[in-house]
Amino acid sequence: MKPNMASLLASTGVVTCALAVVALGIAAAGYDLSGAARAAVEGAVGSPFAVLSATLKRTAPFLMLGLAVAVAFRAGVLNIGAEGQFLAGAAAACAVGLFATPVLGRATLLLEIAAGMVAGACWAGIAALLKRRFAVAEVVSTLLLNFVAANVVAYLVRGPLQEPTGAYPQSSMLEPIARLPLLIDGQRLHAGFPIALILALATWWFFRSTAAGFRFRMTGSGRAAAASAGLINVNAVQMHALIASGAIAGLAGACEITGVTYVLYEGLSPGYGYTAIAVAMLGGLHPLAIVASATLFGALGAGADAMQRNAGVPAGFAVVAAALVVLGVLAIPRTLRLLRPAWPGRP
Amino acid sequence: MTAGGVALDLRGIHKRFGDTIALDGASLSVASGTLHALLGENGAGKTTLLDVAAGLTRPDGGALTINAQPVRGHTPADARSAGLSAVHQHFSLVPAMTVAENVALSSPGLFRTFSASDAAERVRAIATAAGFRIDPSALVANLPVAAQQRVEIIKALASDPAVLMLDEPTAALSPSEAADLFVWLRAFVDRGRTVVFITHRIREAMQNADVVTVLRSGRTVMTSAVRDTDESSVLTAILGEAPIRLHGTPTRNLGSAAAMTPVLVLRNSTVIDAGGVTRLSPLSLAVHAGEVLGVAGIDGGAQHALLRVLAGRRRPDSGTAELPTTIGFVPEDRLHDSIIAELSLVENLALRGAGKRHGRIRWSDLTNATRQAIRGFGVQARDEYAPASSLSGGNQQKFVLARELADSPAAFVAENPTRGLDVRAASDVLERIRSARDRGAAVVVYSSDLDELLSIADRIVVCFGSSVHETPLDAAVIGRAMVGAR
């Protein structure tokens, strides 16, 4: 991968402009801009705690979900349902963790992860089936399934998975042995982060070096030519891409619940699955570039939280910044997007 | 010819794309009320010159005058308001919209009070005046290529232009459709309008145009009234050297043992499309090793389905097709079905066989194979990493041919393989197909150019409607069969 200088500058420009516009908004709303900026920077990168327990902790779900979106988009499947697949994965991992820990002990963790991936894949599989059988556009079905998933979680935490006292709409806490290990004492960074990094490398290798990854890319770049010249079964490829994308999003959900929250509750995802679309697009759908854009979004989220906590500026400004970044990325010409994917067979 | 003024004048036009010089001081002067042909090899700059006139490309230097008015702006709207419309070789139609909607889309000013019936009436009026029969409410996606082109022409006519430019207007037409088009173009010119058309077919230019202009390497090398020149002078101007023969003669391979081995075998094969229309009636057919089966047929006939069945790209809906495992296929719509424009040549080469490849991809092997294909077939490209879109049409086609013939497939199917190519590239392509036949491949070629078909085919089948019949190698018989007369 060779980031080209012009594209790097264009993307940096977009991010800078977005932040500048948000800064203007913060100032115009009557907040102390320098105080807010200081709080945000300190909260995102100001200390080891900020980096490890705030920024990188958030980077993990952004990275995994960004990869999930990229896998589908690369194959020409517009999976807008990472959010729902994330929730399905989290709920399945939680259920397994609650019921299997007494029996399986340490091995539960593996089963939780597996259950999360299977649940995410199945949730995406519903959309894949609807597409295959009834030609339902996946943009619509995956989006709508997000709301179904949110409601299923709402039901689970008031019904089968509710904590025993019945006082709160949430599950019991996972046992410590059923959680992802923390990487550093006293920090909240968990094993999900290295898993996400490995996943990024694996996805990059998959697209770069495997025949199946090549089929994904060809199907996404030119469906008709892929079918006619490549004799690729493009319908099957797109189904596989959607299901794989769901499995990755489910993995993200499982990691979030076993690594961060330890309980299932309704607001588990503050829209991670939607932000992931921005993450993937800023990264030009390239797995390694998505590592960079996920980190940026992780820092943005951490900074926004700190800004709200310490300077009283609503974190919603960060949402605006994220949205501006996406609009900015769409506005720059294709050839100048960040870290334009350079696959083998390209200079 | 009316002795009017100069309808279109391009003078000393320069245009460079990156390292490529597309136009190097080209000039084109077209008298009002004439039918003017623009000829040249692939990459000679014909299309770029048309794009400059039509306001699609901003020239680096030079002057443009339409109807004696200097044109300063370089947008399609500037050109159109100056009275010039262009019909491009590659269609820009919205398949999911009707004919009327497509016309309305391209000329919003004419349909200010747009309603479906208004537009349909308006389009019907333009079409009738143009002598085209077309249903304004038909979905473009359902129209055959020739009808889609008519929609493009109607779009251009909607602004009532004084000058009409067409980029290879007959490339997609059957001979009789092409003849009809020229009858109409002549009538258009006789009403005082002016037409410039790009073509590769010298004979077509000589038979239909009043004046020919030849471009070579971005420069104008010849402008002459047709009556003052002849085919071989034009050919010399195009090629810049001693002319090569236009069409080779078929060298029969019959009599060798290989010629008796059937390679592609259809038994009672039929094709029925998604709408339930029969595209190929029950057909039994064998194509043998070492022969070229020529397929003729007018637009909308069975040839589309027949070629895809023979190429293993479509399973017959009934009956059987016995085919070898690897078949080279060159479909007509290169940029849609054959290559992916934004990807590199290496990736496009890797596309062949992508459906069956397992495990890891060996990029170094594929890069070498691409280099070989580029060299072996004389493809002009910056290097193997150049995007396919950076190649001229002829070079794209050579690349596709190189890819599809690289593994010496037992069978090779080509659909209008020389469409849009200049004489030299076309002759190259036909020579490659002949050599594939000579090494024992079973070859099927569809061409809308009957002369070309007769120059390469050992046997001919003619498609009419959904049926396919074998005919002798006789242009008159084939021509009658193409229109359904027995």
Side-chain angles (χ1 to χ4, degrees), chain B residues 4 19 22 87 89 101 105 115 136 202 219 233 358 379 404 426 449 465:
Chain B
D19 299 335
V87 177
Q89 188 187 355
E101 285 164 343
L105 186 66
S115 77
I202 297 171
R219 296 195 195 93
S233 319
H358 293 291
V379 178
E404 298 297 320
D449 180 341

Side-chain angles (χ1 to χ4, degrees), chain B residues 236-273:
Chain B
T236 310
I238 291 172
L239 298 176
E241 56 190 54
I244 50 176
R245 64 190 175 146
L246 274 174
H247 295 297
T249 45
T251 43
R252 298 294 160 123
N253 237 6
L254 306 176
S256 77
M260 305 317 293
T261 318
V263 177
L264 302 165
V265 181
L266 303 187
R267 288 198 181 86
N268 286 317
S269 305
T270 64
V271 172
I272 295 157
D273 71 9

Side-chain angles (χ1 to χ4, degrees), chain A residues 33-240:
Chain A
L33 182 58
S34 67
R38 202 174 314 118
V41 171
E42 272 171 20
V45 292
S47 64
F49 182 83
V51 171
L52 296 169
S53 294
T55 294
L56 291 186
K57 184 198 79 183
R58 280 163 187 278
T59 300
F62 283 145
L63 178 47
M64 285 193 252
L65 290 169
L67 293 170
V69 170
V71 164
F73 280 29
R74 273 252 162 249
V77 185
L78 297 178
N79 179 14
I80 313 295
E83 179 83 0
Q85 293 140 22
F86 174 92
L87 291 175
C94 177
V96 166
L98 293 176
F99 295 114
T101 310
V103 189
L104 294 171
R106 283 227 156 269
T108 311
L109 186 59
L110 285 177
L111 199 62
E112 284 169 332
I113 301 284
M117 295 183 73
V118 170
C122 289
W123 205 253
I126 298 172
L129 203 69
L130 287 171
K131 183 180 171 71
R132 193 64 181 269
R133 268 291 148 84
F134 306 108
V136 177
E138 73 277 4
V139 180
V140 177
S141 58
T142 54
L143 177 66
L144 293 179
L145 281 166
N146 289 343
F147 304 115
V148 179
N151 282 300
V152 168
V153 169
Y155 161 74
L156 289 175
V157 297
R158 288 185 180 81
L161 295 182
Q162 193 172 21
E163 44 87 29
T165 69
Y168 305 102
Q170 65 179 45
S171 71
S172 299
M173 262 208 174
L174 295 175
E175 296 292 331
I177 56 163
R179 299 175 187 172
L180 278 173
L182 297 174
L183 294 180
I184 300 160
D185 271 348
Q187 302 288 4
R188 307 227 41 206
L189 186 63
H190 54 86
F193 183 69
I195 291 178
L197 286 181
I198 292 167
L199 189 66
L201 283 172
T203 311
W204 173 70
W205 179 80
F206 173 72
F207 281 137
R208 196 190 114 83
S209 297
T210 71
F214 184 69
R215 282 194 281 273
F216 274 43
R217 289 203 287 125
M218 293 302 109
T219 303
S221 303
R223 209 170 179 279
S228 172
L231 290 171
I232 294 172
N233 184 345
V234 289
N235 288 327
V237 164
Q238 291 194 321
M239 253 180 94
H240 296 158

Side-chain angles (χ1 to χ4, degrees), chain B residues 4 6 17 46 59 63 74 77 96 124 154 163 215 296 310 316 344 381 442:
Chain B
V6 176
F17 295 105
K46 305 180 299 292
H74 292 287
R124 202 187 304 276
I154 290 169
V163 182
L215 290 186
L310 287 172
S344 71

Side-chain angles (χ1 to χ4, degrees), chain A residues 74 205-215 217-233 237 334 341-347, chain B residues 312-313 329 331 335-340 342-348 350-363 367 382 384-386 403-404:
Chain A
R74 273 252 162 249
W205 179 80
F206 173 72
F207 281 137
R208 196 190 114 83
S209 297
T210 71
F214 184 69
R215 282 194 281 273
R217 289 203 287 125
M218 293 302 109
T219 303
S221 303
R223 209 170 179 279
S228 172
L231 290 171
I232 294 172
N233 184 345
V237 164
R334 254 167 95 96
W343 304 99
R346 255 186 235 194
Chain B
R313 261 62 180 182
F329 181 42
L335 289 167
H336 187 254
D337 295 329
S338 198
I339 53 177
I340 301 177
E342 72 196 57
L343 299 185
S344 71
L345 295 180
V346 175
E347 287 168 299
N348 272 295
L351 190 54
R352 175 157 168 82
K356 288 182 201 139
R357 208 174 283 129
H358 293 291
R360 296 188 57 179
I361 291 190
R362 303 166 67 93
W363 285 109
T367 307
R382 192 190 65 218
E384 61 273 22
Y385 301 117
R403 177 184 74 186
E404 298 297 320

Side-chain angles (χ1 to χ4, degrees), chain B residues 4 77 82 122 126 130-131 173 180 213-214 225 244 251 332 348 358-359 367 375 398 422 438 478:
Chain B
R122 193 62 226 273
I126 299 168
L173 303 185
D180 287 349
T213 289
V214 177
I244 50 176
T251 43
E332 176 168 21
N348 272 295
H358 293 291
T367 307
R375 255 203 311 268
K398 282 191 213 167
D422 60 65
D438 291 344
I478 296 167

